[in-house]
């Protein structure tokens, strides 16, 4: 046998074996596991066969090993934080986040800055979370301003360019409301009291829902009286129909027309034929669930309203401008209050009553505030004690306990009698003429229009009041009081008799040493006023 021919056969066999193993490694190195095309295989084999490359150094196998060595190194590197979480979800972004990011609970949005204004023009920036509600923000501001906590504090949304404002419900998200504002607009949040927020659950139904405006659309409620119908509505959520005439401004025109409207759970309708409620004559007008209702603060100036009692339904999709606003005007304040209260009840339903219950139960002071809710004190928790001896003892005899209470009351009456007695000429009269200026219900030299505006903003509820300086009488004062949704003004005049200074509202028949005594008296007794003084208007500096 020729040795040269045998060596050539061996070389050819080795070349074929090497090329076959090379193609297997290339097919295994593909990410999808597919082999190269046949034409590409041939080209690659020819190139490798004709090269002077050593058979013991297959480059593709070497590169594959290098990639396998770098995989654990790459997985040990920290994940790159996502700078735009709202544009790229971590669960859908394997590059910007680690594979284990979606296993834990999704973190709520980061902190947001909300700027809140007060009536005196001061403002405060509050950092809140994405889920912070209006109640949380109010409690935070009450704590920061050291104000007296009650359920009347509210966050008010104001659109100055549209002259619209509304009180946010306690469960509404402040960040979500702020996100609906136009960029660069003049929308603001105001922190103020609103005594009418839950008045529909406190006062009698007849005062809020007039009988002429309420009718039932359910056959089961046909035989109910007006009071039973309203009470059933508040308790069970079965909705009666609110009806009445309203002035409506036509879209794109300055003309106001009078229509007969009906408010139901399904929406707001108006009749195209008088007061007919026939389905053929009822025209669907607005959706409750996709809109918010606002007060119009300057209706005649901005929209030419026929009366001052105007309001607006603003759909969610309307961000800026007057296009899309549904403007209404009622004949009186009671009618406007009824429409707006019914709108809130129809939209939020039982959630509104839950907000009221939460504000009354004291559960609003959550753990994040760090304050302990005040315990309620009733007569059953009070225990009569006797501290006359070295150690105190509990008085168990009811007669002895009553005697001790009367003696203590008499002692306190003697201690405080000098404050309620008329001052003598030697006493300092400037104190009685200036002590009221430290009270939260005194507002100094504000005009009659400003006092009315302040009372309207804080709720047209019976007993809402403030005291101010008189503009006509330099030495007098004025008590501005709300009764039956109207603001009335009572003149307080100082008078001096035998060197003694006192204040009176009824030509001296009832005299008071100072304005504090006058206010405290009418908080307990009605006197010449139509109602007692219940809530005072106040402004808190932020």
């Amino acid at each position: 046998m020729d040795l040269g021919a045998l060596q050539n056969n061996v070389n050819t066999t080795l070349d074929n074996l090497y090329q076959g193993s090379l193609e297997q490694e290339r097919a295994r190195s593909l990410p999808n596991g597919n082999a190269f095309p046949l034409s590409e295989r041939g080209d690659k084999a020819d190139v490798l066969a004709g090269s002077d490359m050593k058979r013991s150094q297959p480059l593709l196998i070497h590169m594959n090993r290098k990639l396998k060595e770098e995989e654990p190194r790459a997985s040990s590197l920290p994940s790159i934080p996502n700078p735009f979480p709202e544009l790229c979800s971590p669960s859908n972004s394997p590059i910007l986040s680690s594979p284990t990011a979606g296993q834990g609970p999704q973190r709520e949005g980061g902190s947001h800055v909300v700027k809140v204004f007060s009536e005196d023009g001061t403002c405060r920036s509050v950092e809140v979370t994405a889920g912070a509600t209006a109640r949380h923000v109010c409690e935070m501001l009450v704590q920061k301003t050291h104000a007296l906590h009650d359920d009347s504090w509210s966050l008010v949304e104001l659109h100055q360019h549209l002259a619209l404002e509304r009180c946010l419900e306690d469960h509404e998200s402040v960040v979500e409301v702020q996100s609906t504002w136009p960029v660069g607009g003049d929308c603001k949040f105001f922190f103020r009291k609103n005594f009418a927020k839950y008045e529909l659950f406190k006062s009698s139904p007849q005062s809020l829902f007039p009988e002429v405006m309420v009718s039932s659309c359910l056959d089961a409620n046909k035989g109910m009286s007006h009071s039973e119908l309203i009470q059933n509505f508040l308790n069970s959520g079965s909705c009666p129909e609110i009806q009445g005439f309203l002035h409506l401004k036509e879209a794109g025109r300055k003309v106001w027309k009078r229509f007969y409207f009906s408010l139901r759970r399904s929406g707001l309708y108006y009749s195209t034929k008088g007061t007919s409620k026939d389905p053929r004559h009822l025209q669907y007008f607005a959706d409750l669930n996709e809109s918010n209702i606002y007060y119009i603060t300057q209706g005649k100036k901005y929209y030419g309203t026929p009366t001052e009692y105007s309001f607006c339904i603003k759909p969610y999709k309307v961000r800026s401008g007057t296009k899309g606003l549904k403007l209404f005007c009622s004949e009186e304040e009671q009618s406007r209050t009824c429409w707006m209260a019914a709108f809130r009840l129809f939209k939020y339903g039982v959630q509104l009553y839950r907000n009221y219950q939460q504000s009354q139960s004291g559960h609003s002071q959550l753990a994040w505030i760090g304050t302990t809710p005040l315990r309620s004190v009733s007569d059953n928790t009070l225990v009569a004690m006797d501290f006359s001896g070295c150690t105190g003892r509990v008085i168990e005899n009811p007669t002895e306990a009553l005697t001790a209470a009367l003696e203590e009351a008499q002692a306190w009456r003697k201690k405080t009698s000098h404050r309620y007695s008329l001052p003598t000429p030697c006493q300092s009269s400037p104190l009685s003429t200036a002590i009221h200026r430290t009270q939260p219900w005194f507002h100094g030299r504000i005009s009659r229009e400003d006092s009315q505006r302040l009372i309207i903003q804080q709720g047209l509820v019976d007993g809402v009041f403030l005291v101010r300086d008189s503009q006509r009488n330099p030495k007098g004062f004025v008590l501005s009081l709300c009764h039956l949704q109207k603001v009335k003004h009572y003149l307080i005049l100082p008078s001096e008799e035998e060197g003694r200074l006192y204040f009176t509202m009824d030509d001296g028949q009832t005299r008071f040493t100072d304005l504090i005594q006058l206010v405290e008296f009418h908080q307990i007794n009605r006197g010449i006023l139509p109602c007692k003084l219940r809530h005072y208007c106040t402004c808190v500096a932020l």
Side-chain angles (χ1 to χ4, degrees):
M1 178 180 287
D2 189 2
L3 294 177
L6 181 60
Q7 185 178 2
N8 290 335
N9 293 334
V10 171
N11 291 338
T12 303
T13 304
L14 291 176
D15 289 339
N16 293 334
L17 291 175
Y18 174 73
Q19 291 177 6
S21 63
L22 184 61
E23 290 177 359
Q24 291 179 1
E25 290 294 333
R26 290 176 63 87
R28 198 164 45 241
S29 65
L30 288 176
N32 55 5
N34 297 328
F36 284 104
L38 295 176
S39 59
E40 190 174 352
R41 287 187 188 182
D43 297 340
K44 296 291 182 179
D46 294 338
V47 172
L48 292 175
S51 62
D52 297 330
M53 190 177 301
K54 295 182 180 180
R55 298 173 181 174
S56 61
Q57 296 179 356
L59 296 180
L60 291 178
I61 297 177
H62 178 71
M63 292 298 296
N64 193 20
R65 290 176 180 175
K66 184 177 181 181
L67 290 174
K68 291 181 179 179
E69 292 176 358
E70 291 181 353
E71 285 178 2
R73 180 184 175 186
S75 61
S76 63
L77 294 177
S79 61
I80 302 175
N82 186 0
F84 303 104
E86 67 277 4
L87 299 181
C88 184
S89 174
S91 60
N92 298 329
S93 176
I95 299 178
L96 298 179
S97 62
S98 60
T100 60
Q103 297 178 1
Q106 292 293 332
R107 184 181 177 184
E108 204 171 352
S111 59
H112 299 261
V113 177
V114 177
K115 183 176 288 188
V116 184
F117 291 81
S118 180
E119 299 295 339
D120 58 355
T122 59
C123 67
R124 179 186 288 267
S125 296
V126 182
E127 186 176 359
V128 299
T129 60
T133 62
R135 182 189 297 275
H136 294 161
V137 176
C138 288
E139 289 174 343
M140 187 184 303
L141 294 175
V142 165
Q143 185 189 29
K144 291 181 180 295
T145 58
H146 305 285
L148 182 63
H149 186 275
D150 54 29
D151 61 347
S152 60
W153 288 111
S154 305
L155 209 60
V156 179
E157 177 189 5
L158 176 64
H159 296 263
Q160 292 183 335
H161 63 291
L162 299 176
L164 304 179
E165 69 175 35
R166 75 176 182 98
C167 174
L168 268 67
E169 304 298 342
D170 287 345
H171 67 278
E172 286 191 79
S173 172
V174 178
V175 177
E176 289 183 5
V177 174
Q178 187 173 256
S179 64
T180 62
W181 294 351
V183 179
D186 56 354
C187 304
K188 297 180 180 179
F189 282 128
F190 274 82
F191 178 61
R192 68 166 72 123
K193 286 200 170 187
N194 182 15
F195 299 103
K197 181 168 62 172
Y198 294 123
E199 189 65 18
L200 69 161
F201 300 116
K202 300 178 181 179
S203 61
S204 61
Q206 289 82 358
S207 61
L208 189 63
F209 298 99
E211 186 173 357
V212 68
M213 295 184 62
V214 178
S215 68
S216 176
C217 56
L218 301 177
D219 296 335
N221 298 333
K222 290 294 184 180
M224 290 187 178
S225 63
H226 173 251
S227 59
E228 293 175 346
L229 185 64
I230 296 299
Q231 198 64 39
N232 184 52
F233 173 39
L234 297 179
N235 294 337
S236 63
S238 59
C239 301
E241 183 177 324
I242 306 299
Q243 58 190 12
F245 282 99
L246 287 173
H247 296 273
L248 173 66
K249 185 178 181 181
E250 296 186 358
R253 301 181 62 183
K254 297 183 179 181
V255 180
W256 290 79
K257 287 189 177 182
R258 194 165 179 258
F259 292 95
Y260 192 79
F261 282 87
S262 298
L263 183 61
R264 301 176 179 177
R265 175 71 75 179
S266 57
L268 181 64
Y269 302 83
Y270 71 92
S271 177
T272 58
K273 186 178 181 180
T275 60
S276 174
K277 293 190 291 184
D278 190 280
R280 297 175 300 174
H281 303 146
L282 289 181
Q283 183 70 32
Y284 182 80
F285 188 72
D287 185 11
L288 304 183
N289 298 323
E290 298 297 329
S291 307
N292 283 322
I293 192 165
Y294 292 80
Y295 283 98
I296 301 180
T297 56
Q298 303 179 44
K300 291 187 175 181
K301 177 181 178 181
Y302 283 81
Y303 306 104
T305 57
T307 67
E308 299 178 355
Y309 315 110
S310 53
F311 60 97
C312 168
I313 294 180
K314 181 175 177 289
Y316 291 159
K317 61 182 179 181
V318 178
R319 289 180 172 263
S320 61
T322 59
K323 186 177 180 180
L325 299 181
K326 304 180 187 302
L327 307 175
F328 303 90
C329 189
S330 59
E331 299 290 344
E332 56 184 1
E333 180 62 37
Q334 187 180 21
S335 174
R336 177 173 71 167
T337 304
C338 177
W339 282 106
M340 300 192 70
F343 187 96
R344 293 172 59 205
L345 284 172
F346 281 28
K347 180 178 180 180
Y348 299 109
V350 70
Q351 179 63 49
L352 201 63
Y353 188 67
R354 289 173 182 170
N355 295 343
Y356 168 69
Q357 287 181 321
Q358 187 177 3
S359 65
Q360 296 297 310
S361 61
H363 293 167
S364 57
Q365 296 188 359
L366 302 177
W368 62 270
I369 296 182
T371 57
T372 305
L374 298 176
R375 67 179 183 92
S376 60
V377 179
S378 63
D379 295 338
N380 296 329
T381 61
L382 300 179
V383 179
M385 300 287 295
D386 180 16
F387 296 98
S388 58
C390 297
T391 59
R393 68 181 182 89
V394 178
I395 302 177
E396 298 181 355
N397 188 354
T399 305
E400 185 183 1
L402 179 60
T403 303
L406 293 176
E407 292 178 356
E408 185 177 2
Q410 186 66 23
W412 277 103
R413 188 177 294 107
K414 290 180 180 179
K415 291 180 182 179
T416 58
S417 60
H418 68 279
R419 182 179 181 276
Y420 297 100
S421 61
L422 293 177
T424 60
C426 62
Q427 290 176 335
S428 58
S429 59
L431 179 62
S432 62
T433 59
I435 192 174
H436 55 269
R437 299 189 179 276
T438 61
Q439 302 301 309
W441 40 258
F442 186 76
H443 291 260
R445 303 188 63 83
I446 63 174
S447 63
R448 183 188 184 98
E449 292 74 17
D450 289 340
S451 64
Q452 292 188 170
R453 177 187 56 82
L454 189 59
I455 292 177
I456 292 174
Q457 287 179 348
Q458 299 196 11
L460 290 175
V461 178
D462 288 354
V464 177
F465 74 98
L466 60 85
V467 181
R468 56 184 175 89
D469 290 321
S470 175
Q471 292 181 313
R472 296 182 179 180
N473 194 327
K475 297 183 179 180
F477 304 92
V478 177
L479 172 65
S480 300
L481 173 66
C482 176
H483 178 62
L484 297 179
Q485 299 179 339
K486 294 182 180 180
V487 181
K488 301 180 180 180
H489 307 273
Y490 299 88
L491 184 61
I492 305 173
L493 293 176
S495 181
E496 188 173 351
E497 182 180 351
E498 297 180 358
R500 297 180 177 182
L501 181 67
Y502 59 88
F503 298 87
T504 181
M505 291 191 300
D506 52 5
D507 297 332
Q509 296 183 8
T510 310
R511 304 177 183 181
F512 304 94
T513 60
D514 50 43
L515 295 184
I516 297 180
Q517 185 183 6
L518 184 147
V519 170
E520 290 180 349
F521 174 84
H522 289 93
Q523 286 177 334
I524 303 174
N525 308 279
R526 190 181 69 175
I528 65 168
L529 302 177
C531 63
K532 298 178 184 179
L533 305 181
R534 294 176 54 196
H535 313 289
Y536 58 84
C537 291
T538 183
C539 297
V540 177
L542 296 176

